[in-house]
Each structure stands twice: as structure tokens, then as C-alpha cells.
Amino acid sequence: QVQLVESGGGLVQPGGSLTLSCTSSGSESLNLHTIGWFRGGPGKDGKGLSCISGTHGLAQFADSREDRFIISRASAKNTVYLSITAAKAEDTGVYYCAKGCFAAQATSWGQGTQVTVSA
């Protein structure tokens, strides 16, 4: 069972950018899985922002279809990133990574990292 760990949260000004990281706490490779980023936790409150496939490394839209959220993968570092660009106040929340693209179906959630968008 892969355990995911998020990092990189913090304070960002409106219009600014921030990059979050998702790694595995164990030895299992994230490259084998479709990994998604979410705002809000498991269940109906979570919103999938973007996900990236394990096989081809292709980014996909999830619950959200905003292109301000840019997902990428560094295979050699076993890390999946989410860049938040043109940040808005409504982007404030706890960001999680998990296996899957949609919050209602995703598994192996991390503990989350807080992002606050404020001047």
C-alpha cells in the first residue's frame, strides 16, 4: 500500500504561484500509478484538480477543468508536482495527493498541506 506525503504548502499572494510536491513514504514507485491532486479530503468535499497517468505520464483534467493547476512528474525523484498559477482567494484550502483522478474514487490519501492565498 503506497503512502503519499505532500509538502510545499504555505502563503501565496493573489496572482502568485506555488508548487506542491507529492512523494511516497515507502519504496513503491509513484510512476506505476495515476496520481491526482485534490483540494479538500476524501469524499464529497474533495475536488480533483488534475491527475497524471502512470503509464504515459499524461496530464488529465479531473473534477476541475481549470488550466491554472499544472501537474507534472519527476520520475527519477519519484515525485508528482502541482503548480498553482494565478492564485485566487478561493484556492485556499488543504491540498492532498492520492491515487486516482476523482475525489469520490481516489485512494491512498496523504495527510495534506495547507495553502493560503492572501495579500
Side-chain angles (χ1 to χ4, degrees), residues 20-114:
L20 310 179
S21 300
C22 173
T23 62
S24 171
S25 64
S27 59
E28 186 170 359
S29 173
L30 296 188
N31 301 332
L32 302 175
H33 303 283
T34 294
I35 301 296
W37 277 97
F38 305 84
R39 184 170 62 240
K44 63 179 182 179
D45 292 332
K47 182 177 183 179
L49 302 172
S50 188
C51 58
I52 189 165
S53 65
T55 304
H56 302 293
L58 297 177
Q60 303 169 233
F61 288 116
D63 298 312
S64 169
R65 302 194 67 82
E66 289 191 83
D67 56 8
R68 297 188 298 110
F69 302 102
I70 302 169
I71 197 168
S72 61
R73 183 192 295 273
S75 298
K77 295 183 178 181
N78 201 29
T79 301
V80 175
Y81 301 99
L82 181 75
S83 294
I84 304 169
T85 63
K88 302 177 180 180
E90 54 261 41
D91 295 336
T92 294
V94 181
Y95 284 67
Y96 299 83
C97 60
K99 291 169 61 178
C101 290
F102 299 96
Q105 302 161 353
T107 61
S108 301
W109 293 75
Q111 84 290 348
T113 186
Q114 174 71 42

Coordinates of all heavy atoms in Angstrom, one line a residue, residues 20-114:
L20 N 3.5 22.5 -5.2 CA 3.4 21.5 -4.2 C 4.0 20.2 -4.7 O 4.1 19.9 -5.9 CB 1.9 21.2 -3.9 CG 1.0 22.4 -3.6 CD1 -0.4 22.0 -3.3 CD2 1.6 23.2 -2.4
S21 N 4.5 19.4 -3.7 CA 5.2 18.1 -4.1 C 4.4 16.9 -3.4 O 3.9 17.1 -2.3 CB 6.6 18.1 -3.6 OG 7.3 19.2 -4.2
C22 N 4.4 15.8 -4.1 CA 3.8 14.6 -3.6 C 4.9 13.5 -3.8 O 5.3 13.2 -4.9 CB 2.6 14.3 -4.3 SG 1.8 12.7 -3.9
T23 N 5.3 12.8 -2.7 CA 6.2 11.7 -2.8 C 5.6 10.5 -2.1 O 4.6 10.6 -1.4 CB 7.6 12.1 -2.2 OG1 7.4 12.4 -0.8 CG2 8.2 13.3 -2.9
S24 N 6.3 9.4 -2.1 CA 5.9 8.2 -1.4 C 6.8 8.0 -0.2 O 8.0 8.2 -0.2 CB 6.1 7.0 -2.3 OG 5.9 5.8 -1.6
S25 N 6.2 7.7 0.9 CA 6.9 7.5 2.1 C 7.6 6.1 2.2 O 8.5 5.8 3.0 CB 6.0 7.6 3.4 OG 5.0 6.6 3.3
G26 N 7.2 5.2 1.3 CA 7.8 3.9 1.2 C 8.7 3.7 -0.1 O 9.1 4.7 -0.7
S27 N 8.9 2.5 -0.5 CA 9.7 2.2 -1.6 C 9.0 2.1 -2.9 O 9.6 2.0 -4.0 CB 10.5 1.0 -1.4 OG 9.7 -0.1 -1.1
E28 N 7.6 2.1 -2.8 CA 6.8 1.9 -4.0 C 6.9 3.1 -5.0 O 6.9 4.2 -4.5 CB 5.4 1.6 -3.7 CG 4.5 1.2 -4.9 CD 3.2 0.7 -4.5 OE1 2.9 0.7 -3.3 OE2 2.4 0.4 -5.4
S29 N 7.1 2.8 -6.2 CA 7.2 3.9 -7.2 C 5.8 4.5 -7.6 O 4.9 3.8 -7.9 CB 7.8 3.3 -8.5 OG 7.8 4.3 -9.5
L30 N 5.8 5.8 -7.5 CA 4.6 6.5 -7.9 C 4.4 6.5 -9.4 O 3.3 6.7 -9.9 CB 4.6 8.0 -7.5 CG 4.7 8.3 -6.0 CD1 4.6 9.8 -5.7 CD2 3.6 7.5 -5.2
N31 N 5.4 6.1 -10.1 CA 5.4 6.1 -11.6 C 4.4 5.0 -12.1 O 4.0 4.9 -13.2 CB 6.8 5.9 -12.2 CG 7.7 6.9 -11.8 OD1 7.3 8.1 -11.5 ND2 9.0 6.6 -11.7
L32 N 4.1 4.0 -11.2 CA 3.2 2.9 -11.6 C 1.7 3.3 -11.5 O 0.9 2.5 -12.0 CB 3.5 1.7 -10.7 CG 4.9 1.2 -10.6 CD1 5.0 0.1 -9.6 CD2 5.3 0.7 -12.0
H33 N 1.5 4.5 -10.9 CA 0.1 4.8 -10.6 C -0.4 6.1 -11.2 O 0.5 7.0 -11.5 CB -0.1 4.9 -9.1 CG 0.3 3.7 -8.4 ND1 -0.5 2.6 -8.3 CD2 1.5 3.4 -7.7 CE1 0.2 1.7 -7.6 NE2 1.3 2.1 -7.2
T34 N -1.7 6.3 -11.5 CA -2.2 7.6 -11.8 C -2.4 8.3 -10.5 O -3.0 7.8 -9.5 CB -3.6 7.4 -12.4 OG1 -3.4 6.8 -13.7 CG2 -4.3 8.8 -12.6
I35 N -1.7 9.5 -10.4 CA -1.7 10.3 -9.2 C -2.5 11.6 -9.4 O -2.3 12.2 -10.4 CB -0.3 10.6 -8.7 CG1 0.5 9.3 -8.5 CG2 -0.3 11.5 -7.5 CD1 0.0 8.5 -7.3
G36 N -3.4 11.9 -8.5 CA -4.1 13.1 -8.6 C -3.9 14.1 -7.5 O -3.4 13.7 -6.4
W37 N -4.2 15.4 -7.7 CA -4.1 16.4 -6.7 C -5.5 16.9 -6.4 O -6.3 17.1 -7.4 CB -3.3 17.6 -7.1 CG -1.8 17.4 -6.9 CD1 -0.9 16.9 -7.7 CD2 -1.1 17.6 -5.6 NE1 0.4 16.9 -7.1 CE2 0.2 17.3 -5.8 CE3 -1.5 18.0 -4.4 CZ2 1.2 17.4 -4.8 CZ3 -0.5 18.1 -3.4 CH2 0.8 17.8 -3.6
F38 N -5.9 17.1 -5.1 CA -7.2 17.4 -4.7 C -7.2 18.6 -3.7 O -6.2 18.7 -3.0 CB -7.9 16.2 -4.1 CG -7.9 15.0 -4.9 CD1 -6.8 14.2 -5.0 CD2 -9.0 14.7 -5.7 CE1 -6.7 13.0 -5.8 CE2 -9.0 13.6 -6.5 CZ -7.8 12.8 -6.5
R39 N -8.2 19.4 -3.8 CA -8.4 20.4 -2.7 C -9.6 19.9 -1.9 O -10.7 19.7 -2.4 CB -8.7 21.8 -3.2 CG -8.8 22.8 -2.2 CD -8.9 24.2 -2.7 NE -10.0 24.4 -3.6 CZ -9.9 24.7 -4.9 NH1 -8.7 24.9 -5.5 NH2 -11.0 24.9 -5.6
G40 N -9.3 19.7 -0.6 CA -10.3 19.0 0.3 C -10.0 17.5 0.3 O -9.4 17.0 -0.6
G41 N -10.5 16.9 1.3 CA -10.2 15.5 1.6 C -11.0 14.5 0.9 O -11.8 14.8 0.0
P42 N -10.9 13.2 1.3 CA -11.7 12.2 0.7 C -13.2 12.4 0.8 O -13.7 13.0 1.7 CB -11.3 10.9 1.5 CG -10.1 11.3 2.1 CD -10.1 12.7 2.4
G43 N -14.0 12.0 -0.2 CA -15.4 12.1 -0.1 C -15.9 13.3 -0.9 O -15.3 13.9 -1.7
K44 N -17.2 13.7 -0.6 CA -17.9 14.6 -1.4 C -17.3 16.0 -1.3 O -17.5 16.9 -2.2 CB -19.3 14.7 -1.0 CG -19.6 15.1 0.4 CD -21.1 15.1 0.7 CE -21.4 15.6 2.1 NZ -22.8 15.7 2.4
D45 N -16.5 16.3 -0.3 CA -16.0 17.7 -0.1 C -14.7 17.9 -0.9 O -14.2 19.0 -1.1 CB -15.7 17.9 1.4 CG -16.9 18.1 2.2 OD1 -18.0 18.4 1.6 OD2 -16.9 17.8 3.4
G46 N -14.1 16.8 -1.4 CA -12.9 16.9 -2.1 C -13.1 17.2 -3.6 O -14.2 16.9 -4.1
K47 N -12.2 18.0 -4.2 CA -12.3 18.4 -5.6 C -11.0 18.0 -6.3 O -10.0 18.5 -6.0 CB -12.6 19.9 -5.7 CG -12.8 20.4 -7.1 CD -13.1 21.8 -7.1 CE -13.4 22.3 -8.5 NZ -13.7 23.8 -8.5
G48 N -11.1 17.2 -7.3 CA -9.9 16.8 -8.1 C -9.5 17.9 -9.0 O -10.3 18.5 -9.7
L49 N -8.3 18.3 -8.9 CA -7.8 19.5 -9.7 C -7.1 19.0 -11.0 O -7.3 19.7 -12.0 CB -6.8 20.3 -8.8 CG -7.4 20.8 -7.5 CD1 -6.3 21.4 -6.7 CD2 -8.5 21.8 -7.8
S50 N -6.3 18.0 -10.9 CA -5.6 17.4 -12.1 C -5.0 16.1 -11.7 O -4.9 15.8 -10.5 CB -4.5 18.4 -12.5 OG -4.0 18.0 -13.8
C51 N -4.8 15.3 -12.7 CA -4.1 14.0 -12.4 C -3.2 13.6 -13.5 O -3.3 14.2 -14.6 CB -5.2 12.9 -12.1 SG -6.3 12.6 -13.5
I52 N -2.3 12.7 -13.3 CA -1.3 12.3 -14.3 C -1.2 10.8 -14.3 O -1.1 10.2 -13.3 CB 0.0 13.0 -14.0 CG1 1.0 12.8 -15.2 CG2 0.6 12.6 -12.7 CD1 2.2 13.7 -15.1
S53 N -1.2 10.3 -15.5 CA -1.3 8.8 -15.6 C 0.1 8.2 -15.4 O 1.1 8.8 -15.6 CB -1.8 8.4 -17.1 OG -0.8 8.8 -18.0
G54 N 0.0 7.0 -14.9 CA 1.3 6.3 -14.6 C 1.9 5.7 -15.8 O 3.2 5.7 -15.9
T55 N 1.1 5.3 -16.8 CA 1.7 4.6 -17.9 C 2.4 5.6 -18.9 O 3.5 5.4 -19.3 CB 0.6 3.9 -18.7 OG1 0.0 2.9 -17.8 CG2 1.2 3.1 -19.9
H56 N 1.7 6.7 -19.2 CA 2.2 7.6 -20.3 C 2.6 8.9 -19.7 O 3.1 9.8 -20.4 CB 1.1 7.8 -21.4 CG 0.7 6.5 -22.0 ND1 1.6 5.7 -22.8 CD2 -0.4 5.8 -22.0 CE1 1.0 4.7 -23.2 NE2 -0.2 4.7 -22.8
G57 N 2.3 9.2 -18.4 CA 2.7 10.5 -17.9 C 1.9 11.6 -18.5 O 2.3 12.8 -18.5
L58 N 0.6 11.3 -18.9 CA -0.2 12.4 -19.5 C -1.1 13.0 -18.4 O -1.7 12.3 -17.6 CB -1.1 11.8 -20.6 CG -0.3 11.2 -21.8 CD1 -1.3 10.5 -22.8 CD2 0.5 12.2 -22.5
A59 N -1.1 14.4 -18.5 CA -2.0 15.1 -17.5 C -3.4 15.1 -18.0 O -3.7 15.1 -19.2 CB -1.5 16.5 -17.4
Q60 N -4.3 15.0 -17.1 CA -5.7 15.0 -17.4 C -6.5 15.9 -16.5 O -6.1 16.2 -15.3 CB -6.3 13.6 -17.1 CG -5.6 12.5 -17.9 CD -6.0 11.1 -17.4 OE1 -5.2 10.3 -17.1 NE2 -7.3 10.9 -17.3
F61 N -7.6 16.5 -16.9 CA -8.5 17.2 -16.1 C -9.2 16.2 -15.1 O -9.3 15.0 -15.4 CB -9.5 18.0 -16.9 CG -9.0 19.1 -17.6 CD1 -9.0 19.2 -19.0 CD2 -8.4 20.2 -16.9 CE1 -8.5 20.3 -19.7 CE2 -7.9 21.3 -17.6 CZ -7.9 21.3 -19.0
A62 N -9.6 16.7 -14.0 CA -10.3 15.8 -13.0 C -11.7 16.5 -12.8 O -12.4 16.8 -13.7 CB -9.5 15.7 -11.8
D63 N -12.1 16.7 -11.5 CA -13.3 17.3 -11.2 C -13.3 18.8 -11.7 O -14.3 19.3 -12.2 CB -13.6 17.3 -9.7 CG -13.8 15.9 -9.2 OD1 -14.5 15.1 -9.8 OD2 -13.1 15.6 -8.2
S64 N -12.1 19.4 -11.6 CA -11.9 20.8 -12.1 C -11.4 20.8 -13.5 O -10.7 19.9 -13.9 CB -10.9 21.5 -11.2 OG -10.5 22.7 -11.7
R65 N -11.8 21.8 -14.3 CA -11.3 21.9 -15.7 C -10.5 23.2 -15.8 O -10.4 23.7 -16.9 CB -12.4 21.8 -16.7 CG -13.2 20.5 -16.5 CD -14.1 20.2 -17.7 NE -13.3 20.0 -18.9 CZ -12.8 18.8 -19.3 NH1 -12.9 17.8 -18.4 NH2 -12.1 18.7 -20.4
E66 N -10.0 23.7 -14.7 CA -9.2 24.9 -14.8 C -7.8 24.6 -15.2 O -7.1 23.7 -14.6 CB -9.2 25.6 -13.5 CG -10.5 26.3 -13.1 CD -10.3 27.2 -11.9 OE1 -9.9 28.3 -12.0 OE2 -10.6 26.7 -10.8
D67 N -7.2 25.3 -16.1 CA -5.8 25.1 -16.5 C -4.8 25.9 -15.7 O -3.6 25.9 -16.1 CB -5.6 25.4 -18.0 CG -6.0 26.8 -18.4 OD1 -6.3 27.6 -17.5 OD2 -6.1 27.1 -19.6
R68 N -5.3 26.5 -14.6 CA -4.3 27.1 -13.7 C -3.5 26.1 -12.9 O -2.6 26.5 -12.3 CB -5.1 28.1 -12.8 CG -5.8 29.2 -13.5 CD -6.3 30.2 -12.5 NE -7.3 29.7 -11.6 CZ -7.1 29.4 -10.3 NH1 -5.9 29.7 -9.7 NH2 -8.1 28.9 -9.6
F69 N -4.0 24.9 -12.8 CA -3.4 23.9 -12.0 C -2.6 23.0 -12.9 O -3.2 22.3 -13.8 CB -4.4 23.1 -11.2 CG -5.3 24.0 -10.3 CD1 -6.6 24.3 -10.7 CD2 -4.8 24.4 -9.1 CE1 -7.3 25.1 -9.8 CE2 -5.5 25.2 -8.3 CZ -6.8 25.6 -8.6
I70 N -1.3 23.0 -12.8 CA -0.4 22.3 -13.7 C 0.3 21.2 -13.0 O 1.0 21.4 -12.1 CB 0.6 23.3 -14.3 CG1 -0.1 24.4 -15.0 CG2 1.5 22.5 -15.3 CD1 0.9 25.5 -15.4
I71 N 0.0 19.9 -13.5 CA 0.6 18.8 -12.9 C 1.8 18.3 -13.7 O 1.8 18.4 -14.9 CB -0.5 17.7 -12.7 CG1 -0.1 16.6 -11.7 CG2 -0.9 17.0 -14.0 CD1 -1.2 15.7 -11.3
S72 N 2.8 17.7 -13.0 CA 3.9 17.2 -13.7 C 4.5 16.1 -12.8 O 4.2 16.0 -11.6 CB 5.0 18.3 -14.0 OG 5.4 18.9 -12.8
R73 N 5.4 15.3 -13.4 CA 6.0 14.2 -12.7 C 7.5 14.2 -13.0 O 8.0 14.5 -14.1 CB 5.4 12.9 -13.3 CG 5.9 11.7 -12.6 CD 5.6 10.4 -13.4 NE 4.1 10.2 -13.4 CZ 3.4 9.5 -12.5 NH1 4.0 9.0 -11.5 NH2 2.1 9.3 -12.7
A74 N 8.3 14.0 -11.9 CA 9.7 13.8 -12.0 C 10.0 12.4 -11.6 O 10.1 12.0 -10.4 CB 10.5 14.8 -11.1
S75 N 10.1 11.5 -12.6 CA 10.2 10.1 -12.4 C 11.4 9.7 -11.6 O 11.3 8.9 -10.7 CB 10.2 9.3 -13.7 OG 9.0 9.6 -14.4
A76 N 12.5 10.3 -11.9 CA 13.7 10.0 -11.1 C 13.7 10.3 -9.7 O 14.4 9.7 -8.8 CB 14.9 10.7 -11.8
K77 N 12.9 11.3 -9.3 CA 12.7 11.7 -7.9 C 11.5 11.1 -7.3 O 11.2 11.4 -6.1 CB 12.6 13.2 -7.9 CG 13.8 14.0 -8.3 CD 13.7 15.5 -8.1 CE 15.0 16.2 -8.5 NZ 14.9 17.7 -8.3
N78 N 10.7 10.3 -8.1 CA 9.5 9.6 -7.6 C 8.6 10.7 -7.0 O 8.0 10.5 -5.9 CB 9.9 8.6 -6.5 CG 8.8 7.6 -6.3 OD1 8.0 7.3 -7.2 ND2 8.7 7.1 -5.1
T79 N 8.4 11.8 -7.7 CA 7.6 12.9 -7.2 C 6.7 13.4 -8.2 O 7.0 13.4 -9.4 CB 8.6 14.0 -6.8 OG1 9.5 13.6 -5.8 CG2 7.8 15.2 -6.2
V80 N 5.5 13.8 -7.8 CA 4.5 14.4 -8.6 C 4.2 15.8 -8.1 O 4.0 16.0 -6.9 CB 3.2 13.6 -8.7 CG1 2.1 14.4 -9.5 CG2 3.4 12.2 -9.3
Y81 N 4.2 16.8 -9.0 CA 4.1 18.2 -8.6 C 2.8 18.8 -9.0 O 2.2 18.3 -10.0 CB 5.2 19.0 -9.2 CG 6.6 18.6 -8.9 CD1 7.4 17.8 -9.7 CD2 7.2 19.0 -7.7 CE1 8.6 17.4 -9.5 CE2 8.5 18.6 -7.4 CZ 9.2 17.8 -8.3 OH 10.5 17.4 -7.9
L82 N 2.3 19.8 -8.3 CA 1.2 20.6 -8.7 C 1.6 22.0 -8.6 O 1.9 22.5 -7.5 CB -0.1 20.3 -7.9 CG -1.3 21.2 -8.3 CD1 -1.9 20.6 -9.6 CD2 -2.3 21.2 -7.2
S83 N 1.6 22.7 -9.7 CA 1.8 24.2 -9.7 C 0.5 24.9 -9.7 O -0.3 24.7 -10.6 CB 2.7 24.6 -10.9 OG 4.0 24.0 -10.7
I84 N 0.3 25.8 -8.8 CA -0.9 26.6 -8.7 C -0.4 28.0 -9.3 O 0.5 28.6 -8.8 CB -1.4 26.8 -7.3 CG1 -1.7 25.4 -6.6 CG2 -2.6 27.7 -7.3 CD1 -1.9 25.5 -5.1
T85 N -1.1 28.4 -10.4 CA -0.7 29.6 -11.0 C -1.9 30.6 -10.9 O -3.0 30.2 -10.8 CB -0.3 29.4 -12.5 OG1 -1.4 28.9 -13.2 CG2 0.8 28.4 -12.6
A86 N -1.6 31.9 -11.1 CA -2.6 33.0 -11.0 C -3.5 32.7 -9.8 O -4.7 32.6 -10.0 CB -3.4 33.0 -12.3
A87 N -2.9 32.5 -8.6 CA -3.7 32.1 -7.5 C -4.8 33.0 -7.1 O -4.7 34.3 -7.2 CB -2.7 31.9 -6.3
K88 N -5.9 32.5 -6.7 CA -7.1 33.2 -6.3 C -7.4 32.9 -4.8 O -7.0 31.8 -4.3 CB -8.3 32.8 -7.1 CG -8.1 33.0 -8.6 CD -9.3 32.6 -9.4 CE -9.2 32.8 -10.9 NZ -10.4 32.3 -11.6
A89 N -8.2 33.8 -4.1 CA -8.5 33.5 -2.7 C -9.2 32.2 -2.6 O -9.1 31.5 -1.6 CB -9.4 34.7 -2.2
E90 N -10.1 31.8 -3.5 CA -10.8 30.6 -3.4 C -10.0 29.3 -3.6 O -10.5 28.2 -3.4 CB -12.0 30.6 -4.4 CG -11.6 30.8 -5.9 CD -11.8 32.2 -6.3 OE1 -11.5 33.1 -5.5 OE2 -12.2 32.4 -7.5
D91 N -8.7 29.5 -3.9 CA -7.8 28.4 -3.9 C -7.3 28.0 -2.5 O -6.7 26.9 -2.4 CB -6.6 28.7 -4.8 CG -6.9 28.9 -6.2 OD1 -7.9 28.4 -6.7 OD2 -6.1 29.6 -6.9
T92 N -7.6 28.8 -1.5 CA -7.3 28.5 -0.2 C -7.9 27.2 0.3 O -9.1 26.9 0.1 CB -7.7 29.6 0.8 OG1 -6.9 30.8 0.5 CG2 -7.4 29.2 2.2
G93 N -7.1 26.3 0.9 CA -7.6 25.1 1.4 C -6.5 24.1 1.7 O -5.3 24.4 1.5
V94 N -6.8 22.9 2.1 CA -5.8 21.8 2.3 C -5.8 21.0 1.0 O -6.8 20.5 0.5 CB -6.2 20.9 3.5 CG1 -5.2 19.8 3.7 CG2 -6.4 21.7 4.7
Y95 N -4.6 20.8 0.5 CA -4.3 20.1 -0.8 C -3.8 18.7 -0.5 O -2.9 18.6 0.3 CB -3.3 20.9 -1.6 CG -4.0 22.1 -2.3 CD1 -4.4 23.2 -1.6 CD2 -4.2 22.1 -3.7 CE1 -5.0 24.3 -2.1 CE2 -4.8 23.2 -4.3 CZ -5.2 24.3 -3.5 OH -5.9 25.3 -4.1
Y96 N -4.3 17.7 -1.1 CA -3.9 16.3 -1.0 C -3.5 15.7 -2.3 O -4.0 16.1 -3.4 CB -5.1 15.5 -0.4 CG -5.7 15.9 0.9 CD1 -6.6 17.0 1.0 CD2 -5.3 15.3 2.1 CE1 -7.1 17.3 2.2 CE2 -5.8 15.6 3.3 CZ -6.7 16.7 3.4 OH -7.3 17.0 4.6
C97 N -2.7 14.7 -2.2 CA -2.5 13.9 -3.4 C -3.0 12.5 -3.0 O -3.0 12.1 -1.9 CB -1.0 13.9 -3.8 SG 0.2 13.3 -2.6
A98 N -3.4 11.8 -4.1 CA -3.9 10.4 -3.9 C -3.9 9.7 -5.2 O -3.5 10.3 -6.2 CB -5.4 10.5 -3.4
K99 N -4.2 8.4 -5.1 CA -4.2 7.6 -6.3 C -5.6 7.7 -7.0 O -6.6 7.4 -6.4 CB -3.9 6.1 -6.0 CG -2.5 5.9 -5.5 CD -2.4 4.5 -4.9 CE -2.7 3.4 -5.9 NZ -2.5 2.0 -5.3
G100 N -5.6 8.2 -8.2 CA -6.8 8.4 -8.9 C -7.1 9.9 -9.3 O -6.3 10.8 -9.0
C101 N -8.1 10.1 -10.1 CA -8.4 11.4 -10.6 C -9.6 12.1 -10.0 O -9.7 13.3 -10.0 CB -8.7 11.3 -12.1 SG -7.2 11.0 -13.1
F102 N -10.5 11.3 -9.4 CA -11.7 11.9 -8.9 C -11.8 11.6 -7.4 O -11.6 10.5 -6.9 CB -12.9 11.3 -9.6 CG -12.9 11.6 -11.1 CD1 -12.4 10.7 -12.0 CD2 -13.3 12.8 -11.6 CE1 -12.3 11.0 -13.3 CE2 -13.3 13.1 -12.9 CZ -12.8 12.2 -13.8
A103 N -12.2 12.6 -6.6 CA -12.2 12.5 -5.2 C -13.0 11.4 -4.6 O -12.6 10.8 -3.6 CB -12.6 13.9 -4.6
A104 N -14.1 11.1 -5.2 CA -15.0 10.1 -4.7 C -14.4 8.7 -4.9 O -14.9 7.8 -4.2 CB -16.4 10.2 -5.4
Q105 N -13.5 8.5 -5.7 CA -12.9 7.2 -6.0 C -11.4 7.1 -5.7 O -10.9 6.0 -5.7 CB -13.1 6.9 -7.5 CG -14.5 7.0 -8.0 CD -14.6 7.1 -9.5 OE1 -13.6 7.3 -10.2 NE2 -15.8 7.0 -10.0
A106 N -10.8 8.2 -5.3 CA -9.3 8.1 -5.1 C -9.0 7.4 -3.8 O -9.8 7.3 -2.9 CB -8.8 9.5 -5.0
T107 N -7.8 6.8 -3.7 CA -7.4 6.0 -2.6 C -6.0 6.5 -2.2 O -5.3 7.2 -2.9 CB -7.4 4.5 -2.9 OG1 -6.5 4.3 -4.0 CG2 -8.8 4.0 -3.2
S108 N -5.5 6.0 -1.0 CA -4.1 6.2 -0.5 C -3.9 7.7 -0.4 O -2.8 8.2 -0.8 CB -3.1 5.6 -1.5 OG -3.3 4.2 -1.6
W109 N -4.7 8.4 0.3 CA -4.6 9.8 0.5 C -3.4 10.1 1.4 O -3.2 9.4 2.4 CB -5.9 10.4 1.1 CG -7.1 10.3 0.2 CD1 -7.8 9.2 -0.2 CD2 -7.7 11.4 -0.5 NE1 -8.8 9.6 -1.0 CE2 -8.7 10.9 -1.3 CE3 -7.4 12.8 -0.6 CZ2 -9.5 11.7 -2.1 CZ3 -8.2 13.6 -1.4 CH2 -9.2 13.1 -2.1
G110 N -2.8 11.2 1.2 CA -1.7 11.7 2.1 C -2.4 12.5 3.2 O -3.6 12.5 3.4
Q111 N -1.5 13.2 4.0 CA -2.1 13.9 5.2 C -2.5 15.4 4.8 O -3.1 16.0 5.6 CB -1.0 13.9 6.3 CG 0.1 15.1 6.2 CD 1.0 14.8 5.0 OE1 1.1 13.8 4.4 NE2 1.8 15.9 4.7
G112 N -2.1 15.8 3.6 CA -2.5 17.2 3.2 C -1.5 18.3 3.5 O -0.7 18.1 4.5
T113 N -1.5 19.3 2.8 CA -0.7 20.5 3.0 C -1.5 21.8 2.8 O -2.3 21.8 1.8 CB 0.6 20.5 2.1 OG1 1.5 21.6 2.5 CG2 0.3 20.6 0.7
Q114 N -1.4 22.7 3.7 CA -2.3 23.9 3.7 C -1.7 24.9 2.7 O -0.6 25.3 2.8 CB -2.4 24.5 5.1 CG -3.1 25.8 5.2 CD -4.6 25.6 5.0 OE1 -5.2 24.7 5.5 NE2 -5.2 26.5 4.2

